[in-house]
Amino acid sequence: MPEEIQVKSILNKHKKRDDWFLDDYSVNPYSGCSFNCIYCYIRGSKYGENMAKTLSVKVNAPELLERQLSRRAEKGEYGIIALSSSTEPYMPLEEKLKITRKLLKIILKYRFPVEVATKSNLVLRDLDILKEIDKKAILPSDLKPRLKHGLIILFSISTLDERLAKILEPGAPVPEKRLETMKKCKDEGLFTGMCFIPVLPFLSDSEEQLEEMIKTAKKYGADFIFVGGLTLFGNGQADSRTLYYRFLERYYPELVPKYKSLYRIFASPSKEYLKKLEERSKEICKKHNIRYKIV
Ligand code: SF4
């Protein structure tokens, strides 16, 4: 069983709204993540190599959110809440614990807009609450002219290759399952999108792979897609950079020198690589008539 922890705060207010995800707040019901993606940016010594073993549940999250959100609502400080930014809100243990569901009920009560980012089909369990949030949420005034939804559901995918996904995202549902879930959300009338992040250099970033992903997103009902590069942090035993290079050495040793050259100094690929990736993605989105980014 995961450890039960008490936290001091659950609603994090960002200094500045995120340009891509549009969130002003974030809420993370769990600490760590059993999906165990090796590229995950939260990786590090705090969680160890197998994050399923060090997972914690923030048991006082609902009580805290009630308090913190009621204060924000009183002051009219509405903003999109990212659920979640550093964990998966619909891991298998959520089925029993229902912490995410409890948090959504509170978010609905105070009429805050929400952005659910997930890789899991368990999100379908909460469609009843999510639909109500979509209808009743109060958007921040500056977003109202551009955004017509109180709910955004994002599905993250890094590759359509099932074998590769099983190695890189060992605890997560396979990409096909995520796509089917996205389609179901769309069929229920929700605003959905695909987050093609991280694009894996030399493994899921060719012209054909980009086009295939964007076409697939459209086919499965995405209202928009956005695309982002892979970041690799740290040299510690449980850091994403270490784990990712271990994966490359085992399965794609011929790519190691190419990655070393792309990630020479920084945790991200070079600016030129990222600029090109964005330009190519925008062009393909235009060709297939699907929006790049949320608004
Ligand atoms: S699902 Fe998200 S939070 Fe969980 S390990 Fe994967 S990237 Fe990290």
Side-chain angles (χ1 to χ4, degrees):
M1 270 305 281
E3 193 192 350
E4 295 189 351
I5 54 167
Q6 300 269 343
V7 286
K8 291 207 173 93
S9 172
I10 193 71
L11 182 71
N12 310 300
K13 171 88 172 87
H14 308 323
K15 282 195 185 110
K16 186 181 161 282
R17 176 179 301 148
D18 190 280
D19 286 342
W20 282 57
F21 293 89
L22 307 179
D23 53 309
D24 293 290
Y25 299 95
S26 60
V27 166
N28 292 290
Y30 301 97
S31 174
C33 182
S34 66
F35 282 2
N36 257 321
C37 308
I38 70 165
Y39 53 70
C40 181
Y41 84 97
I42 67 165
R43 280 197 168 278
S45 56
K46 183 178 171 193
Y47 300 117
E49 270 185 56
N50 184 354
M51 297 200 288
K53 284 191 180 161
T54 50
L55 193 61
S56 316
V57 190
K58 300 178 183 175
V59 281
N60 62 336
E63 174 197 323
L64 269 180
L65 188 66
E66 173 82 43
R67 215 181 306 147
Q68 293 187 284
L69 222 46
S70 68
R71 274 194 228 125
R72 295 280 176 184
E74 250 171 52
K75 292 186 201 156
E77 292 172 351
Y78 291 96
I80 297 179
I81 301 174
L83 184 75
S84 302
S85 58
S86 59
T87 187
E88 161 63 55
Y90 289 104
M91 282 178 270
L93 87 165
E94 166 61 21
E95 198 164 356
K96 184 166 161 240
L97 298 180
K98 299 192 176 72
I99 302 269
T100 295
R101 187 167 172 88
K102 285 181 197 155
L103 298 178
L104 284 173
K105 282 186 183 168
I106 297 163
I107 290 171
L108 171 62
K109 177 176 168 190
Y110 291 104
R111 301 182 64 193
F112 272 68
V114 71
E115 177 177 74
V116 174
T118 185
K119 287 185 169 94
S120 170
N121 43 305
L122 186 56
V123 66
L124 297 174
R125 181 200 63 187
D126 291 341
L127 284 183
D128 54 343
I129 306 178
L130 294 169
K131 282 184 192 174
E132 286 295 297
I133 292 177
D134 192 33
K135 274 190 258 162
K136 296 188 176 154
I138 299 171
L139 285 164
S141 48
D142 60 323
L143 274 183
K144 273 185 200 162
R146 294 188 289 147
L147 188 65
K148 302 290 167 217
H149 297 271
L151 171 79
I152 304 166
I153 306 192
L154 288 174
F155 290 88
S156 5
I157 295 193
S158 62
T159 172
L160 291 172
D161 180 334
E162 198 169 307
R163 177 190 153 265
L164 195 52
K166 276 189 177 153
I167 301 169
L168 291 171
E169 302 155 345
V174 292
E176 179 71 24
K177 191 95 186 157
R178 291 175 227 168
L179 291 166
E180 284 165 6
T181 308
M182 180 164 74
K183 179 79 172 65
K184 283 185 188 148
C185 290
K186 178 66 187 171
D187 291 346
E188 292 286 335
L190 298 176
F191 186 51
T192 57
M194 185 196 278
C195 184
F196 184 14
I197 299 178
V199 175
L200 310 166
F202 318 110
L203 291 171
S204 68
D205 69 344
S206 72
E207 199 65 28
E208 297 72 35
Q209 285 164 324
L210 274 182
E211 181 148 15
E212 188 58 28
M213 187 65 93
I214 290 167
K215 270 165 54 184
T216 305
K218 185 159 183 191
K219 183 173 149 202
Y220 282 86
D223 291 293
F224 61 88
I225 182 165
F226 53 89
V227 175
L230 170 76
T231 46
L232 294 173
F233 296 105
N235 294 314
Q237 185 76 4
D239 287 333
S240 59
R241 188 182 172 91
T242 308
L243 297 178
Y244 197 86
Y245 272 101
R246 200 192 292 164
F247 145 77
L248 286 177
E249 272 148 21
R250 177 156 180 208
Y251 296 99
Y252 300 95
E254 71 283 5
L255 293 183
V256 172
K258 289 183 165 191
Y259 269 77
K260 290 227 158 119
S261 147
L262 195 60
Y263 290 83
R264 233 182 357 246
I265 310 168
F266 302 108
S268 306
S270 63
K271 275 192 185 149
E272 299 75 58
Y273 173 92
L274 293 173
K275 192 165 168 262
K276 232 177 168 182
L277 181 66
E278 185 172 11
E279 282 169 4
R280 286 191 297 150
S281 305
K282 280 183 177 166
E283 261 171 45
I284 303 172
C285 282
K286 209 167 158 196
K287 179 173 159 194
H288 293 285
N289 195 22
I290 177 166
R291 195 179 325 131
Y292 183 81
K293 286 174 95 169
I294 301 174
V295 286

